[in-house]
Amino acid sequence: MASCWLLLLLFMSSSAHNDFFTSIGQMTDLVFTEKDLVASLKDYIQAEERKLEQIKKWAERLDVLSAAATQDPEGFLGHPVNAFKLMKRLNTEWGELESLVLTDVSDAFISNLTIQRQHFPNDDDQIGAAKALMRLQDTYKLDTNIIATGELPGTSSLHSALTVDDCYDLGKVAYSEADYHHTELWMSQALSQLDHGERSITVDAVTILDYLSYSVYQQGELERALQFTRRLLDLDSTHQRANGNLKYFEYQLQKQKKVEGKEKETERQRRETKAQSDDYLPERKNYEQLCRGEGIQMTPRRQSRLFCRYYDNNRHPRYVIGPVKQEDEWDSPHIVRYHNIVSEKEMEKVKELAKPRLRRATISNPITGVLETAHYRVSKRRATVHDPQTGKLTTAHYRVSKSAWLGAYEHPVVDKINQRIEDITGLDVSTAEDLQVANYGVGGQYEPHFDFGRKDEPDAFEELGTGNRIATWLLYMSDVQAGGATVFTDVGAAVQPKKGTAVFWYNLYPSGEGDYRTRHAACPVLVGNKWVSNKWIHERGQEFRRRCSLQETD
């Protein structure tokens, strides 16, 4: 019966997967889960130690008795008390010792572990976290050794290093995705750490060299593939696959040497193009440069026209005495930042309300209207975006995050934030979407996208009946030690997250046409925990608050 319950719990653990890697906020629960398991493990160790101590005392006492008895067995047993005690020990006490040895003190620990396993990450989480490390490596041009030592920009002393086994596992994840570039990088790092004396009980140099030779061969580097294969055979001359590869690589290298240099270069470029990721975006290079702080297109002359000011929105009654601090972040399109716009207490309450409801982000597919996972966003609620083929909200795989929606009716703090947005922007928020709270995960990002619905999307927001998204209010609810900037790829702007501040921009021109300069992205979080909330304000209700223009781009 107990085994049936165990199988049931293990099944539940496999079905309770929650995409942990997409939200740092939810991953914090795992830290406390592990702490509880460590405490339970220590209790088990102490119980085993007490049990062994009892057995040890038995052994020491019986060792003394048996030593004395074997010196003169007849004389020893000639004493009636000794004879009685021998009968008693063998008939009763050895049985008690057997029971003690057979006592299983692990039940409490195993029970706790089985229950907690329901909430453990699974293979998808481990693979997702591995891919996130590689994404960070590419975006911020990080050397594998920097990642392996844990000494990332913005880190404190709270970091740990990757072992040989860790690097090997990262390489295997890349290999399983046919990503031979990262396979080479991480297998090379694993091999380097082995060469520097680090030990591993699960992987050896022969296995790593096998992966390395194949991964560099797949990238068209036959000479290096041959070098790795020969080194492998130096360690294991009977390796069947390596012996076969050695002959094949030597044959291919001879053929390659006959090819003209120009043709070789053409072939190399063809392979690189073919190996390029399926989700590659033409603007990725620009996006990643902006994330690194490169390519920002703000000249000193334009910079001199950006100002800070106290802002009361045309003497709004709530801000005449206490205006807010407004800062120009960009001139065209005009992006402004409001400082100290929410309190620490308000931000914590919003996080508290959102955290239990975080779900992997979904998107509205613009053709079918169905909600689907947004695979290009790495935050929580794993974001929803409009699928350009079906029209429905679908999970955005280019967004690694989790998010939750909070209505004004759910708590006075949410209602107060909504009112503040209306007072400061001058726009009617009664037709706006609920406050979306997002928490980004390991390497959390949201690749370039528009907030407004384009003409080629069939009625992206028709079901809302409130028109297009006229403006975006983005509130930063945490500081981020490194990475996590909001970048505008068309204009070369980068806005850094700063806790308690909000940035605001219009997505549409006064004419109602979309402003394509507002295409933006959330850079991967390199170090830190990024919390944001969005308020997407719609056209309906703004007729007399932001009047239309007859010119398309006015």
Side-chain angles (χ1 to χ4, degrees):
M1 183 67 180
S3 62
C4 292
W5 276 107
L6 180 61
L7 287 172
L8 176 61
L9 286 170
L10 291 175
F11 171 76
M12 290 171 62
S13 72
S14 65
S15 61
H17 179 235
N18 201 26
D19 284 339
F20 285 107
F21 79 97
T22 61
S23 170
I24 296 294
Q26 287 191 331
M27 285 176 65
T28 56
D29 294 339
L30 298 179
V31 174
F32 293 102
T33 296
E34 188 170 48
K35 182 180 179 181
D36 178 63
L37 285 173
V38 170
S40 179
L41 181 60
K42 287 182 176 179
D43 290 340
Y44 162 64
I45 292 171
Q46 289 175 354
E48 288 284 13
E49 287 175 342
R50 287 192 295 268
K51 173 182 166 182
L52 288 172
E53 187 62 31
Q54 287 181 273
I55 295 172
K56 183 180 178 181
K57 288 178 180 178
W58 272 76
E60 290 173 348
R61 180 170 64 86
L62 293 172
D63 185 45
V64 172
L65 284 171
S66 60
T70 53
Q71 288 180 0
D72 181 9
E74 291 186 0
F76 180 81
L77 293 174
H79 196 295
V81 173
N82 288 341
F84 167 75
K85 289 178 71 68
L86 177 63
M87 297 301 105
K88 181 187 174 187
R89 281 198 305 276
L90 292 175
N91 182 54
T92 305
E93 294 181 9
W94 274 98
E96 293 173 356
L97 179 60
E98 180 184 20
S99 297
L100 176 61
V101 171
L102 293 174
T103 300
D104 189 352
V105 295
S106 66
D107 286 350
F109 171 68
I110 294 299
S111 176
N112 188 24
L113 178 62
T114 303
I115 292 171
Q116 295 288 9
R117 188 174 286 142
Q118 300 175 63
H119 311 293
F120 276 16
N122 66 9
D123 288 346
D124 289 340
D125 283 302
Q126 184 174 335
I127 291 170
K131 290 181 179 178
L133 276 179
M134 294 177 221
R135 183 168 54 252
L136 291 172
Q137 182 178 12
D138 292 344
T139 302
Y140 296 106
K141 291 188 174 180
L142 300 174
D143 183 79
T144 50
N145 190 58
I146 290 177
I147 300 176
T149 57
E151 296 175 356
L152 299 173
T155 54
S156 62
S157 57
L158 295 175
H159 63 77
S160 56
L162 296 174
T163 64
V164 169
D165 296 333
D166 295 331
C167 296
Y168 172 70
D169 287 338
L170 284 166
K172 283 206 302 181
V173 169
Y175 182 82
S176 68
E177 298 287 319
D179 178 359
Y180 300 113
H181 170 65
H182 286 104
T183 303
E184 178 196 350
L185 291 179
W186 285 104
M187 290 300 176
S188 295
Q189 181 65 31
L191 186 63
S192 174
Q193 290 180 209
L194 275 181
D195 290 343
H196 283 83
E198 186 177 329
R199 293 186 178 182
S200 169
I201 58 173
T202 60
V203 64
D204 57 20
V206 168
T207 304
I208 294 172
L209 285 165
D210 196 16
Y211 276 102
L212 270 173
S213 63
Y214 186 74
S215 63
V216 297
Y217 161 71
Q218 285 291 337
Q219 296 176 80
E221 299 183 50
L222 276 171
E223 290 187 9
R224 293 185 63 217
L226 197 57
Q227 290 172 7
F228 285 129
T229 304
R230 285 171 175 162
R231 182 176 172 186
L232 188 163
L233 290 170
D234 287 341
L235 298 173
D236 181 3
S237 60
T238 63
H239 197 285
Q240 186 175 354
R241 182 167 51 250
N243 277 298
N245 287 344
L246 180 66
K247 295 176 183 177
Y248 178 75
F249 292 157
E250 287 175 337
Y251 170 72
Q252 289 293 328
L253 192 59
Q254 289 297 321
K255 284 181 62 178
Q256 190 183 73
K257 288 179 179 179
K258 298 176 182 178
V259 180
E260 294 292 332
K262 184 177 180 180
E263 291 178 355
K264 288 198 319 184
E265 178 64 19
T266 302
E267 176 66 13
R268 186 188 64 80
Q269 291 175 351
R270 185 190 67 79
R271 284 199 195 94
E272 288 181 353
T273 302
K274 185 178 179 180
Q276 198 173 57
S277 171
D278 290 337
D279 65 351
Y280 178 79
L281 298 174
E283 62 191 329
R284 181 180 294 277
K285 181 179 179 181
N286 184 33
Y287 158 58
E288 293 182 347
Q289 282 181 330
L290 289 170
C291 290
R292 295 192 296 269
E294 304 168 3
I296 297 175
Q297 299 173 15
M298 176 58 69
T299 63
R301 184 175 182 180
R302 289 171 62 192
Q303 179 74 44
S304 68
R305 296 173 183 169
L306 303 180
F307 297 97
C308 297
R309 64 188 68 82
Y310 284 102
Y311 180 75
D312 61 14
N313 193 15
N314 295 320
R315 299 184 63 78
H316 190 284
R318 285 193 174 92
Y319 298 104
V320 170
I321 296 177
V324 296
K325 298 174 183 177
Q326 186 190 68
E327 177 186 3
D328 294 327
E329 283 284 349
W330 205 257
D331 53 356
S332 182
H334 192 206
I335 305 168
V336 296
R337 186 196 296 265
Y338 296 99
H339 292 265
N340 304 319
I341 207 66
V342 290
S343 68
E344 180 74 28
K345 187 175 180 181
E346 288 172 326
M347 288 185 285
E348 290 306 311
K349 174 54 68 174
V350 169
K351 294 178 192 176
E352 178 188 326
L353 293 170
K355 190 174 179 181
R357 294 153 56 176
L358 290 175
R359 296 292 181 272
R360 190 166 180 181
T362 54
I363 59 174
S364 179
N365 186 310
I367 296 177
T368 66
V370 175
L371 286 176
E372 303 170 4
T373 302
H375 296 289
Y376 54 90
R377 175 174 176 171
V378 191
S379 64
K380 283 201 175 179
R381 154 183 170 205
R382 187 92 189 233
T384 58
V385 294
H386 287 93
D387 186 300
Q389 294 182 344
T390 61
K392 299 296 182 178
L393 275 180
T394 180
T395 301
H397 295 286
Y398 53 84
R399 184 175 188 177
V400 185
S401 66
K402 284 189 177 178
S403 58
W405 299 89
L406 301 179
Y409 63 88
E410 296 186 59
H411 197 277
V413 165
V414 181
D415 187 40
K416 189 184 295 184
I417 290 174
N418 287 344
Q419 186 61 53
R420 197 172 301 156
I421 294 170
E422 178 166 322
D423 294 342
I424 291 173
T425 64
L427 298 176
D428 185 353
V429 299
S430 65
T431 59
E433 296 170 51
D434 285 343
L435 192 69
Q436 187 198 50
V437 182
N439 179 223
Y440 287 76
V442 182
Q445 66 171 2
Y446 192 170
E447 290 187 357
H449 62 282
F450 297 104
D451 281 351
F452 63 90
R454 274 80 66 211
K455 289 180 178 179
D456 59 346
E457 294 180 342
D459 301 318
F461 302 105
E462 181 181 22
E463 60 187 60
L464 298 178
T466 54
N468 211 339
R469 287 174 174 169
I470 192 173
T472 295
W473 173 279
L474 174 60
L475 171 64
Y476 296 110
M477 298 192 296
S478 66
D479 290 316
V480 179
Q481 289 95 314
T486 304
V487 298
F488 292 76
T489 52
D490 278 19
V491 297
V495 178
Q496 299 300 324
K498 185 176 180 182
K499 189 175 184 179
T501 71
V503 292
F504 174 79
W505 67 86
Y506 281 101
N507 296 307
L508 306 180
Y509 289 108
S511 64
E513 293 296 321
D515 186 348
Y516 285 80
R517 299 171 301 171
T518 61
R519 185 168 176 81
H520 61 286
C523 295
V525 177
L526 180 56
V527 179
N529 184 10
K530 184 180 178 182
W531 284 89
V532 299
S533 59
N534 304 292
K535 192 72 174 177
W536 285 301
I537 304 170
H538 284 249
E539 292 176 292
R540 187 67 55 83
Q542 320 308 336
E543 293 83 357
F544 298 101
R545 298 184 182 227
R546 191 192 192 218
R547 295 183 181 276
C548 294
S549 169
L550 297 179
Q551 301 299 318
E552 184 175 338
T553 58
D554 280 355

